[in-house]
Structure formats: structure tokens, C-alpha cells
Amino acid sequence: MTARAKGSAEKAGAAEDGAPNGERLYQRLARHIFDDLVAGRYAIGSRLPAERELCAEYGASRPAVREALIALEVQGYIDTRVGSGAYVRRLPGREDHPGFAITAFELTETRVAFEGEAAALAAKQITDDEIAQLESLLEEMAVENLRPKVTEDADREFHMTIARATRNAGIVLMIDELWRLRSTSPACALLHDKARNAKIRPVVAEHRRIVEALKARDPQAARAAMRAHLAAVMDHLLFTTEEMALEAARRAAAGVRARFSATTTPD
């Protein structure tokens, strides 16, 4: 490890262990990259190191590096190109400072905490009519997944139905706010848009397991099923850019094959 990499890793590690200003690791990483932009390490149009290189340089996880890049992309400093990487879009001035909003990963972590417990509480309160409504929403979700343009109306109503089944107005308000943040927080909206463009859809089978646990009136199973579903959501977000890159590579390969087949004549 180079001296620069060792120093970067130590700084990143300090953030994860608890920086004095309480910053998350991804925020500290974003500041390091931001400072490199200010210092002229990268020129406009130049490509940033690949995610795996940034992970090694800063001793950080892929989710933390990805959140840092998303934070800078939202603010217009970098541009992520499918299958190519992150490029410098504009350079900040020395008087500029990076800003941060809740990220998609932070939001999903919050959902794990709140919606897992909401599912457990709902298992004790939910009615047969609400179970029937959830089963109907599973069918709507499956139909929505077949449409060219992704919609998440059934997915949102599914989770809100469970929230209402807790008979707790505070939980309903909290979960409603978390869903609102999915589309209003710039960092959340950006990554979820990437996921939709990569054809990531709500997984009906994961939701069905939640319904089965609720139908059994089993709080522990309902909590586990909800947490497993949201953990899968986290995985989908993490691998969104890889899936987009893979699809771009497939399209490029198909284009090459088409060109060769068009110019090849039989003997």
C-alpha cells in the first residue's frame, strides 16, 4: 500500500470509527474526492479510478464508495457513464463545500429498522380483509412488473397497508415519510432511477413470504421476512450499476455480431 493509500485508509477508518463531526464514512470519502478535485488531481473530462481501486485506496467497502460517488454526482461534480465509469463533470472552487442528503442505502437501513418491527406488530393486529388486500396487491405488483415503464404504486401500497395494520399512527407517518424520501431526496432518487433503468423490479416472491408470515400471525416470521426483503433491496441497489454495465456490454456485443453478420456472405 502506498503512503497516500495508507493515509487515505487511516482517514477513512477514522470516519467509520466515529469522526468528531459525526460524519458517515461515505461522507468522509466524498470529501476526500472533493478535495482532490479542488486540488486539481483530476481534470474536467478525466476518469476517476474504478470503484475497486477507490475501495483499495481508502480501505472502504463498495457501498461506501458508491454512496460517495452518488453524492458527488447529485451535486453535478461527476458524471457516471454506463459501462465506463465516473468522469469529472465540473471542478469545485475552494469556497465550495459538498452537501449531503439521505442516501438510498441509509434510507433502506432505516426501513429495515422500522418496517421490520412494523411487520412484527402488524402480525398481531392484521385482519383477514387486510390480508386479502395484500394478496390482491401481489397480483397488481406482478402486472406492474410486466409494463415497460416501471411503476411502484402496488409496492408502496403493500408496505403502507402493513403500516396501517399496526394500528399505530406514528408508524404510519414514519413509513409514509420514508417512501416520500425515496423520490424527493436527490441521492435516493438518482440510485432508484438507475435501478429502474437497469430493469430492477419489486420481487413478488419476497413480498409473498411477508404475507404468508402475516397470515400465520407470526410476528417473528413477519419481522424476518420483511428484513430479508429489504436486505435484498439493498443488494439490488448495490449491484445496479454492475447490471447496467453488463447490459451495455451485451448490447455492444450484439452490435458487433450484427455488423459482422451483415458483411459476411456465404461461400
Side-chain angles (χ1 to χ4, degrees), residues 138-147:
L138 290 177
E139 297 178 3
E140 291 183 29
M141 207 179 297
V143 171
E144 286 184 347
N145 285 349
L146 298 175
R147 295 171 182 161

Side-chain angles (χ1 to χ4, degrees), residues 2-3 20 27 52 70 75 78 89 93 139 145 148 150 170 175 192 211 213 224 229 259 266:
T2 66
Q27 294 172 330
R52 64 180 180 278
I70 289 169
Q75 296 169 72
I78 66 173
R89 184 175 179 183
E139 297 178 3
N145 285 349
V150 180
I175 293 176
H192 281 288
V211 175
H229 160 55
R259 287 196 299 275

Side-chain angles (χ1 to χ4, degrees), residues 3 24 60 68 90 100-102 105 109 130 138 177-178 186 190 205 210 245 250 254 267:
R24 293 278 306 270
R90 69 181 178 92
F100 302 103
I102 186 171
F105 293 103
E109 285 178 347
E130 286 169 325
L138 290 177
E177 174 65 8
L178 293 176
L190 177 65
I210 298 170
R250 287 178 182 143
D267 294 336

Side-chain angles (χ1 to χ4, degrees), residues 138-169:
L138 290 177
E139 297 178 3
E140 291 183 29
M141 207 179 297
V143 171
E144 286 184 347
N145 285 349
L146 298 175
R147 295 171 182 161
K149 185 176 181 180
V150 180
T151 58
E152 298 178 337
D153 296 339
D155 190 13
R156 182 185 185 282
E157 184 58 25
F158 180 94
H159 287 270
M160 290 308 304
T161 298
I162 294 173
R164 289 189 290 270
T166 66
R167 311 292 181 252
N168 185 306

Side-chain angles (χ1 to χ4, degrees), residues 17 29 63 75 81 83 90 94-95 98 149 169 172 188 202 228-229 239 242 265:
D17 292 338
L29 292 175
Q75 296 169 72
R81 302 175 190 171
R90 69 181 178 92
R94 294 191 177 277
E95 70 282 358
K149 185 176 181 180
V172 174
C188 289
H229 160 55
F239 289 104
E242 281 91 339
T265 57

Side-chain angles (χ1 to χ4, degrees), residues 17-82:
D17 292 338
N21 59 6
E23 283 190 327
R24 293 278 306 270
L25 175 57
Y26 87 89
Q27 294 172 330
R28 180 60 62 89
L29 292 175
R31 289 189 189 280
H32 288 330
I33 299 171
F34 182 90
D35 289 343
D36 284 339
L37 293 174
V38 172
R41 183 182 178 190
Y42 305 107
I44 292 176
S46 63
R47 183 181 181 276
L48 294 181
E51 282 186 12
R52 64 180 180 278
E53 296 173 35
L54 292 172
C55 289
E57 178 173 353
Y58 293 108
S61 65
R62 287 167 58 222
V65 169
R66 188 156 302 169
E67 284 183 296
L69 294 176
I70 289 169
L72 294 173
E73 184 174 3
V74 165
Q75 296 169 72
Y77 294 116
I78 66 173
D79 180 33
T80 303
R81 302 175 190 171
V82 176

